[in-house]
Each structure stands twice: as structure tokens, then as C-alpha cells.
Amino acid sequence: MSYKRYWLALAVVVVGSFAVLGAVGRKMISQAPPIPNVYAENGQLLFSAASITDGQGVWQSIGGQEIGTVWGHGAYVAPDWSADWLHRQSNILLDRWAQRDGAANFQALNPDEQAELKARLIRTTRANGYDAQANRLTLDSDRTAAFEQLAAYYASIFANGHKEYAIPQGALTDVGKQRKLAAFFWWTAWAASTERPGSHVTYTNNWPHEPLVGNEPTPGAVFWSIISFVCLLAGIGALAWWHASQEKSVPSGPYPERDPFLGLRPTPSQRATIKYFLVVVALWGVQILMGVLTAHYGVEGQGFYGFPLDRYLPYAITRTWHLQLAIFWIATSWLATGLYVGPAVSGHEPKFQRLGVNVLFTALVLVVAGSLAGEWFGIQQKLGNLWFWFGSQGFEYVDLGRFWQILLFIGLVLWLVLMVRALRPAFKRNSEDRSLLSLFLVSSIAIPLFYAAGLMYGQRSNLVTAEYWRWWVVHLWVEGFFEVFATVVIAFLFTRLKLLEIRSATRAVLFSTTIFLSGGIIGTFHHLYFAGSGAAVISLGAVFSALEVVPLTLIGYEAWENLRLARPAEKAPWIANYKWPIYFFVAVAFWNLVGAGLFGFLINPPIALYYMQGLNLTPVHGHTALFGVYGMLGLGLTLFCLRVLHPERRWKEGTLKASFWCINLGLTFMVVLSMLPVGLMQAWASIQRGTWYARSAEFLQSGTMQTLRWMRVPGDVLFAIGAALLAWFVLGLLTGHSYQPGISLPPVSSSVVTDEENSSLMMSR
């Protein structure tokens, strides 16, 4: 069968999408908010452009996006520093002006007088006095005084600690660094409240919501949100029409009487991947522990049930580790699956493949251990000027220092080399699965390629530049091409089990990949609406992020198909051996619809994200999509590979069943009982009073919000129990306690099998 039209469609989508992403991104970076030298009215230099850039480095070195947020990106306990500075500065100016007019403060004025000062504040704040030729900005005496007052306030927070913000005492004590940090916070607030030249919109598209300075949603945010809803409905209708028009493919059968993997002896490199899967479970356990500590800091900001935990593991470190470990264990499960599947696909075990797998494992351990240790030392200010290279870069999901980042990239390249070596013999055969193999190879190449995007910004890059490339890693690497890779791997596993025909699987994978990437690549812009971008980012991000949701509307069909594959009564009894790995794939489909679809689209339209960015509705989407989709997928792939290592032995499934339901119900309770209501209440507060209030200690430390935070405990406990049960089950596959006594299915060949015979068996199956 020819797949040329599928490949052509995929090529058009990928090339066209990246052309748009690159062109608009280049314009976005070139039009980033300027970084000026700032002077007082008397000509005195308050702080230089270099100080602002240095201040960004100070912010990154102490945790960056793991301590509060800037422009809405980061952690959720401390304030958004841009919104907080802007609101406090506005109140300082209003009070100074009121006092100059003889009043005690702004609140003592009558409504007409207040309205007059508010109008003055809007004119003063939004006016762009930047001199591009001299790279100079002059502040009047009132704004200069406001800066000095706020610089002292924030210096006190980071030096003395702030319980409600989970900032420990001594987080930043260097006076020079404190002033530079204040200069950076001032710059982020200035960019968020100053209109671009020739425009009535600020550099951040009027974000955050701050009525005092006239920051309201732009017309474009409203208009393109409406268009995105129309595109979503049109896309759903078109996809449903197409799906209804297709001839339904019914598996032909009869299915194999015995497991096609039965009798195959795992190759040395395949056996070497077992330790990867053990590390996956171990890292997941540590990540859960860090998540528990991170969540608890929201209710007890400087300790853990009275123990002064922040002296040893402050919030910035626990959250950094929580996010980094999630990336590490999920990526490890997928990479290990690729290493396992490679020889199974080609029927060939290259020379020294096992050595390569072991070397890669050593590199993985080095990167994980080294980066986590470096992040601790860096955030604790123990690395000096080496923080960027060996500590924490301070950006969510790519926190690890540049040295460790480069090592990880080298490891991914080594992984790609191992994959190509294993797959090469398969390409020499003119087999029916050549197109599926080609997509497998393309997605494998994309994994190290798109991780390299994280190397495109430097230590002193403008925040806009860093954010643009960071989202290439988070959205395109994690959410994009890793998912394509995993989809192809699952298709290969099912075709090797003879549960799917190669032709239908290839056609389905190529089509779904094209549909997914048609919205997914340009949809990256929905993360950048308010990150110093222009109007084009809002329009493109709104439309294409809506199209990302379209294929998820048929996810129930995928889930049903996976359930059918798990029903032995309709096919063959041996399929029951793969029931629970397949059930994890079904959970992926469910959370794809709920986490990526419903909760993703809840915050994706510009008008929604304008009020919700930086609030707890973002981690609702993050937990249900990152773990619910990619984490569940990683666990399913792990279990599948562990299953085919010994297909002749039957599992004791009680523990696995309990684990599956505890994990899924725990995640559900975690979201429904706590995170979702907290996020919705924050969104209401943001709409009513402003972003600053929704993130303030005044609001977040109220009795109702504290109760809702404590409501995470039942879900967290249930989830942790599920994880512990899964770890016990996987450990039992090594010790034998997870297998039923005896051997249920005898192997079809003797225990002595040559590598040539083993390869022949793999190819024939």
C-alpha cells in the first residue's frame, strides 16, 4: 500500500508550521521589551541595563520560576512579582499624590478626587518615555521614590524570609544582588504596564489584569478567543464527518493461538534495559515525595508539621526537583522502551549494543544525580557565578544547569545512535512496515533535536528569548514529538502481537500524527500570549491551540479500541497477560480528553488565560496532562516491556489492579477536591480585583483557601498508595513474588537459542 499522500500531508504540516513558528518567533524576539538604563530626574543613574540583566540572573539563581511567577510563568505560592510590584507601586504613587494634596492617603479622598488621581496614574504609568537612541529612561521623583521603597521591601522578604510565600530566611542576603533583583522586578512590571510605541497595548498585551493602570483584556484577546471557539467547533465537525465517511476497519483474525513473543529470548541489550525501568519507578517515588513537600509548603510555609524543613529543603528546591524528576522518569521510560523495541522491530542485535545501553544508563544516572545536587547548591547560593552552568537555570522544566543540559543532550544523541544501529537492518528489507519504521526513525531523531532548543538561549539572554526557546522544549519536545514517538511504539507493539494489521496501524499513526502536529506546532504560541509578544502570537496561538483539542474529541474511540484489544474472550486467552498495560493506555486516552482537552482548553483561549495565567488552574491542566497522559503512558510502556520479557509467566494481578485504580482515583480526588476549586476561586478573584489579589497572601491564606488546600490530602495519600503498590509489584518481578507459582505457558523452543535463531524468530513474528 502506498502512503505517499499521508507523508506529503505530514511534510506540508511540519514544514509550514515551523516556517510560521520561526518567522513569528523571530519577530517576537526582535520586538522584545527594551532593557534601558534608568535615571532619576536629577540625572543620577538609578540602575543600568546591565543591572537589570544581572537581576534576572539573581532571580534565576535563587530558583527563578520556582519562587512565584514573572509574567505568569512559574510557581504558585509566592506572588507574581510583576503583578505584585505593579500593584504596590500604583498604591504608593496614589498615596503620595493624595498626601501632596493634603489627604492622609488615597482612600481618604472623595470618589471624584480618586477618579482624577486614577486617570493620572494610568497616563503616567502607560506613557512610554523610553529613548531608544540613548537606551535611556527617566523616572520622575515619585516613581524613583516608589522604586526605592519597593527595593527595600523585597530585600527584606528575601533576606528575612516570608512564611506565606514559602521563602526561607537568608534566601538572598547580598545587598548588591538584592538591588539588582529589584531592578529586574521593576523592569518586568514596567514592560507589563508601558505601551509599545505606536500602540495602546503594553509589551505584555496588557497582562496582568490591573484596573489601577488600565490593564484590561485587549480587543484581540476577545476577538481571537471567539474565533478559537468557532475553529474548535468547525474542526470537530470536520473530523467527525471524515471519521463517519471512513470504512470501519474490523480486525481480520483469527488471532494467534499463542503469544507471538512466547519463546523469544530477550537479547542482551533488551535485558540491560530492565534497570532503566527500575530507575523509572524509583524516580517516580522520589518525585511524589517532593510533590507532597511542595504542596505542604502552601499551608505551612517554612516547615513540615513543625520541623524547619526550609533550612534544608526550601520550597524552591522541592518544586524544582518535583518538576525535573517528572521529566526524567517519564523520558527514561520512553527512551528505555525505544531501546527495547529497536531489536524487536529489526530482529537484529548490533555488536556492542548492550555496552551502549549500559554506558547510556551510567550517563543518565550522572545527569540526574549531578543536576539535582547542583540545583540544591545553586539555589542555596553556594556556587557563586557558576550557578548557570552547574546549578539551576531557574526556568520551569529546564531548571538543570547548562553543563548537565549539554550532557543530557549528548546522552540523547547516543540514544539515537543506538536506535539507528538497531533499526538499520529493518530498512534493508522491503517489508510492509517500512513507513511505520520511517516514522519511528523520524520521531527518534526529533527527540534530541528539539531538546537542543533549550541550548538556544544564554545566561544573559532577554527573558523573551529564553521563554520562546523554553517552550520549544516543554511543548514541542515533551508534549509534541515524544508523544509521536510513543504512538509509533505502541503501534509496533500491537502489530508485533498481531492485534493490529500493519497497514491500518500505519495509516492511523500517520493520520493522527498529521492532525496532532497541524495544531500542536503553532499552538506553542498559546504559552507566549503575555511573554513580551505581539498581537500575532495571540491570534495564531488562539486558533491553533483550539485545533490541538480537535483530535481529542475522538479519543473515546481510541479508548474503546484499546479496551477491545484487552478482552481475551473475543480473541485469544493469552491476551489477558497484557490487560493491565493496555488499561494504562486506556487511562492515557481518558486523561488526554480530560487533562489536555477539557482543562487545557479551559485556560487556552486568550481571554481565559488573561485572567487565569499564573493561577492554580494551570497546575490542574499540568497534573492531569503531564502525569495523566505522559506519565500514564510511561507506566504503560514500562509494564508492556516488562511483560514481554517473560511472556510465559503469569502475573499476580491483584496488586497491579489496586495500584491502577488508586493512582487514577487519587489523581481525580486531588484535582476535584482541591486544585480545581482553588483555581476557580482564584480566577474569580482575578476577574473581580486583579491578578495581584488572586496571588496575594491575603487571599491564599484565607480560611476557605486553606481548607481547600488541605483537601488535597485524601487524593495525595491514595495516589501515593497506588505508586507504592506499583513499585512493590515491579520489585516482585525481580524477586518472583509478583508471578503466579509455576510456569503457565511453556516456551516453544529450548532454553539454548543462538542469536541468529533469536533474530529469525523475531523477524518471523
Side-chain angles (χ1 to χ4, degrees), residues 231-253:
C231 290
L232 175 63
L233 294 175
I236 292 173
L239 187 60
W241 185 291
W242 177 87
H243 182 71
S245 69
Q246 298 303 299
E247 181 180 351
K248 300 301 180 289
S249 175
V250 179
S252 58

Side-chain angles (χ1 to χ4, degrees), residues 139-214:
L139 299 183
D140 60 37
S141 59
D142 291 322
R143 296 177 77 180
T144 299
F147 172 81
E148 297 296 348
Q149 183 175 336
L150 288 175
Y153 167 75
Y154 287 107
S156 174
I157 286 179
F158 286 94
N160 302 324
H162 196 294
K163 180 180 178 181
E164 288 75 14
Y165 297 168
I167 296 176
Q169 183 178 3
L172 185 66
T173 57
D174 185 286
V175 175
K177 289 183 177 180
Q178 290 172 351
R179 186 168 182 84
K180 290 178 179 179
L181 179 64
F184 172 68
F185 286 168
W186 172 90
W187 176 78
T188 65
W190 174 79
S193 57
T194 301
E195 294 177 353
R196 286 182 182 273
S199 171
H200 295 295
V201 175
T202 72
Y203 287 105
T204 58
N205 286 315
N206 284 1
W207 193 92
H209 179 219
E210 178 51 82
L212 287 178
V213 299

Side-chain angles (χ1 to χ4, degrees), residues 270 273-282 332-334 336-337 340 361 634 637-639 641-642 645 730:
Q270 288 177 319
T273 62
I274 295 176
K275 54 182 169 288
Y276 283 79
F277 297 118
L278 297 178
V279 166
V280 164
V281 176
T332 299
S333 67
W334 295 5
T337 300
Y340 187 92
F361 179 79
L637 292 173
T638 296
L639 291 172
C641 291
L642 293 174
L645 279 170
V730 172

Side-chain angles (χ1 to χ4, degrees), residues 338-511:
L339 293 173
Y340 187 92
V341 169
V345 168
S346 66
H348 174 67
E349 172 86 341
K351 290 183 179 180
F352 307 116
Q353 184 78 354
R354 180 183 180 183
L355 175 62
V357 171
N358 288 333
V359 169
L360 182 60
F361 179 79
T362 303
L364 169 68
V365 172
L366 176 63
V367 169
V368 172
S371 64
L372 295 181
E375 286 157 358
W376 188 90
F377 282 103
I379 291 173
Q380 297 285 59
Q381 299 292 285
K382 298 180 183 295
L383 291 180
N385 292 328
L386 296 177
W387 62 267
F388 180 81
W389 286 93
F390 298 99
S392 169
Q393 291 187 40
F395 292 120
E396 257 188 327
Y397 298 106
V398 285
D399 297 88
L400 70 172
R402 179 55 54 88
F403 175 77
W404 309 112
Q405 197 177 19
I406 292 172
L407 283 187
L408 180 54
F409 172 71
I410 294 172
L412 292 174
V413 172
L414 174 58
W415 171 82
L416 177 61
V417 170
L418 295 173
M419 292 293 296
V420 171
R421 294 176 76 244
L423 293 172
R424 186 166 52 187
F427 283 96
K428 295 180 180 179
R429 303 191 301 267
N430 190 19
S431 58
E432 195 177 19
D433 59 0
R434 193 177 183 88
S435 277
L436 200 57
L437 276 170
S438 298
L439 189 57
F440 192 12
L441 180 60
V442 169
S443 61
S444 298
I445 294 172
I447 288 174
L449 179 65
F450 284 97
Y451 184 75
L455 305 174
M456 297 298 290
Y457 58 87
Q459 182 172 345
R460 300 184 65 80
S461 293
N462 189 295
L463 183 60
V464 173
T465 302
E467 282 290 84
Y468 174 74
W469 290 111
R470 179 175 76 92
W471 284 111
W472 272 56
V473 177
V474 179
H475 187 85
L476 294 176
W477 184 63
V478 177
E479 300 179 20
F481 287 93
F482 248 130
E483 179 164 341
V484 174
F485 171 79
T487 302
V488 180
V489 169
I490 293 174
F492 265 119
L493 292 174
F494 283 153
T495 56
R496 286 300 181 270
L497 287 174
K498 308 296 184 183
L499 300 179
L500 290 178
E501 294 180 349
I502 290 178
R503 286 181 297 176
S504 60
T506 302
R507 187 169 58 247
V509 168
L510 281 169
F511 178 78

Side-chain angles (χ1 to χ4, degrees), residues 57-99:
V58 173
W59 166 70
Q60 291 175 241
S61 72
I62 62 175
Q65 291 178 341
E66 309 302 353
I67 302 181
T69 59
V70 166
W71 293 347
H73 293 153
Y76 307 99
V77 174
D80 179 272
W81 304 112
S82 312
D84 193 64
W85 183 291
L86 180 58
H87 186 75
R88 292 180 184 277
Q89 174 184 273
S90 299
N91 282 328
I92 290 172
L93 293 177
L94 290 173
D95 282 341
R96 286 179 66 88
W97 294 340
Q99 290 166 1

